[in-house]
Amino acid sequence: MSNPIITLEGVEKAFGKNLVVKKMNLEIGEGEFLTLLGPSGCGKTTTLRMIAGFEDATTGVIKVEGEHVETKEAYQRNVNTVFQNYALFPHMTVYQNIAYGLTIKKVPKDEIHTRVMEMLRMVQLEGFEQRKPDALSGGQKQRVAIARALVNNPKVLLLDEPLGALDLKLRKQMQVELKRLQKKLGITFIYVTHDQEEALTMSDRIAVMHDGVIEQLDVPNEIYEHPKTRFVAGFIGESNIFDGVCEKVEGDMITMKSKNGIMTVKGEGFEVGEEMHIAVRLENVEHASTPVDGFDLPGKVKDFIYQGSVIKTSVDLDGGQEVNYTRFERVSEVEEGERLYIYWNPSKAVAIKKSN
Ligand SMILES: Nc1ncnc2c1ncn2[C@@H]1O[C@H](COP(=O)(O)OP(=O)(O)OP(=O)(O)O)[C@@H](O)[C@H]1O
Ligand SMILES: [Mg+2]
């Protein structure tokens, strides 16, 4: 990256003996929408708090616009934060809440007025300026919190699960609005969520975190199509994941032996004898009444669930693992208890290295 606005070099954070962020390296470009995605407790908020300068790194260096983050007081930084539990001042009006940061900085009153009104327009809350937070819906409160951060013209906005409290419909709507706002203003966003769909929709790049480590940093499409670790494969979308040992390599075709039987995947860089995983998305699983070349995964249909647009079928493999697949059908094409053989197009599955 030619000119990163934020850099993390070997950053670690320990609380007592508990290392919650480990050897993190990250460069974030100007105007980029980067998401930290991962399950509860993986270190997302801690990472964000260190970037904001609210928390010191135990080791490593964090630079914002080329300068060490510790060297500036919070109010001097070009970084603003929208917290996980956004707290508006309850006794202040919407107008006063948004104006607060500018008032503290003693910006002239008429300039404050212009900027606050501009923000209200941007988050589509014109006419709400005299309301108190109590008289707002969750989505409206959230938009006030975002306006309150944006009014300071930050170069970087850190957002910690800003849409977590909203219902699904409003969340989807706000996702689109936030993304538009970010593009229009050209502000760098570092966005924290544990919602993989939200991350895939909004981000330029996603850092998938697990146990204090970034397991994969990539554009959404690559994260979805080519998960690099077993964890990422399991966390993003729905996949069947098999564990086994590489048994045969022929060109770019790999045969893996698992407790369920033999299966084949397209991939490179694997050696006979090494432990590995194969991940297959539910829509890519096929079945046949006789074994298919490269596969030996016999099983029995367990049940189906109707999920609106698709039917999800569960198959108990004779080897013990359950396999799920989905189809866009009105009626299931198999019967409960029916015996069948599972397979897939080897290029539609992903070969994954075993992590150390
Ligand atoms: N001040 C603290 N003192 C001790 N441990 C802490 C402190 N803050 C966070 N932790 C621990 O650090 C780990 C990471 O916490 P963090 O808040 O960064 O997780 P998170 O990814 O934001 O999770 P969530 O999705 O639930 O918000 C957790 O195990 C947490 O208990
Ligand atoms: Mg958190």
Side-chain angles (χ1 to χ4, degrees):
M1 194 170 299
S2 56
N3 201 7
I5 189 161
I6 292 177
T7 319
L8 279 74
E9 292 165 9
V11 170
E12 301 204 324
K13 180 69 190 178
F15 291 111
K17 282 188 178 153
N18 197 8
L19 196 56
V20 302
V21 173
K22 300 164 193 166
K23 295 213 177 74
M24 189 177 285
N25 296 303
L26 185 58
E27 285 191 338
I28 301 162
E30 204 161 341
E32 185 172 20
F33 193 128
L34 182 115
T35 298
L36 301 175
L37 171 70
S40 183
C42 72
K44 305 182 295 295
T45 296
T46 306
T47 304
L48 213 61
R49 286 178 57 80
M50 288 192 289
I51 295 171
F54 297 127
E55 198 86 68
D56 290 334
T58 310
T59 50
V61 176
I62 299 175
K63 288 184 196 157
V64 178
E65 297 186 283
E67 289 187 58
H68 286 224
V69 74
E70 314 86 84
T71 57
K72 284 191 180 172
E73 296 296 328
Y75 69 90
Q76 295 175 308
R77 295 179 199 130
N78 270 328
V79 178
N80 264 248
T81 312
V82 178
F83 292 104
Q84 200 158 6
N85 301 307
Y86 53 96
L88 300 176
F89 302 117
H91 57 286
M92 291 186 190
T93 63
V94 166
Y95 184 96
Q96 289 165 334
N97 263 285
I98 299 174
Y100 183 75
L102 301 177
T103 314
I104 294 290
K105 281 192 214 151
K106 303 214 164 27
V107 173
K109 273 220 165 82
D110 50 343
E111 189 188 336
I112 293 183
H113 184 77
T114 312
R115 281 167 71 175
V116 171
M117 295 317 279
E118 188 191 339
M119 278 303 129
L120 281 165
R121 239 191 331 276
M122 194 170 293
V123 298
Q124 295 171 30
L125 283 176
E126 290 157 298
F128 284 75
E129 46 271 37
Q130 294 316 318
R131 293 239 200 142
K132 295 272 180 69
D134 268 357
L136 299 175
S137 74
Q140 290 164 343
K141 278 187 215 165
Q142 193 54 60
R143 279 183 271 168
V144 175
I146 290 162
R148 191 175 59 174
L150 286 177
V151 80
N152 300 308
N153 278 335
K155 281 209 161 171
V156 178
L157 188 60
L158 310 177
L159 301 107
D160 195 349
E161 312 230 10
L163 309 181
L166 308 182
D167 69 51
L168 186 64
K169 194 166 169 218
L170 191 53
R171 198 157 79 218
K172 297 248 178 220
Q173 193 183 325
M174 286 289 296
Q175 285 171 5
V176 177
E177 284 179 25
L178 257 184
K179 175 78 192 170
R180 281 200 192 124
L181 209 58
Q182 184 263 344
K183 259 199 181 155
K184 186 168 147 202
L185 300 176
I187 300 177
T188 309
F189 268 32
I190 307 181
Y191 192 95
V192 163
T193 182
H194 56 251
D195 180 342
Q196 44 109 5
E197 207 180 312
E198 184 163 293
L200 291 169
T201 327
M202 298 179 83
S203 321
D204 295 322
R205 283 190 307 160
I206 301 173
V208 185
M209 288 184 68
H210 180 220
D211 256 343
V213 174
I214 294 179
E215 293 223 348
Q216 190 168 356
L217 173 65
D218 231 320
V219 297
N221 180 52
E222 276 296 306
I223 297 263
Y224 189 85
E225 299 287 342
H226 301 116
K228 289 229 161 59
T229 68
R230 192 186 196 285
F231 173 80
V232 175
F235 193 71
I236 308 290
E238 263 195 286
S239 289
N240 297 285
I241 302 176
F242 301 91
D243 307 322
V245 175
C246 176
E247 196 179 61
K248 195 168 76 183
V249 178
E250 271 178 348
D252 58 0
M253 286 296 168
I254 297 164
T255 306
M256 184 181 95
K257 189 177 179 183
S258 83
K259 66 174 178 149
N260 297 287
I262 294 295
M263 55 193 89
T264 303
V265 63
K266 206 168 161 182
E268 271 163 13
F270 290 80
E271 283 174 24
V272 172
E274 81 174 270
E275 287 181 78
M276 61 178 291
H277 317 284
I278 294 179
V280 198
R281 295 212 172 273
L282 271 57
E283 62 268 27
N284 293 329
V285 174
E286 312 278 352
H287 61 84
S289 53
T290 52
V292 172
D293 208 25
F295 292 83
D296 179 26
L297 297 170
K300 194 167 87 173
V301 177
K302 184 179 175 189
D303 53 21
F304 336 101
I305 310 169
Y306 292 88
Q307 291 184 323
S309 58
V310 294
I311 297 176
K312 179 167 160 182
T313 304
S314 298
V315 174
D316 278 330
L317 294 181
D318 292 354
Q321 189 163 337
E322 182 180 305
V323 173
N324 296 304
Y325 69 84
T326 49
R327 286 290 178 277
F328 287 98
E329 303 286 351
R330 297 253 135 242
V331 210
S332 174
E333 79 282 47
V334 292
E335 283 175 29
E336 239 176 83
E338 190 172 325
R339 288 204 59 82
L340 39 71
Y341 292 85
I342 294 297
Y343 72 101
W344 49 79
N345 176 340
S347 63
K348 289 193 173 171
V350 185
I352 297 170
K353 289 261 173 195
K354 183 169 162 48
S355 313
N356 300 313

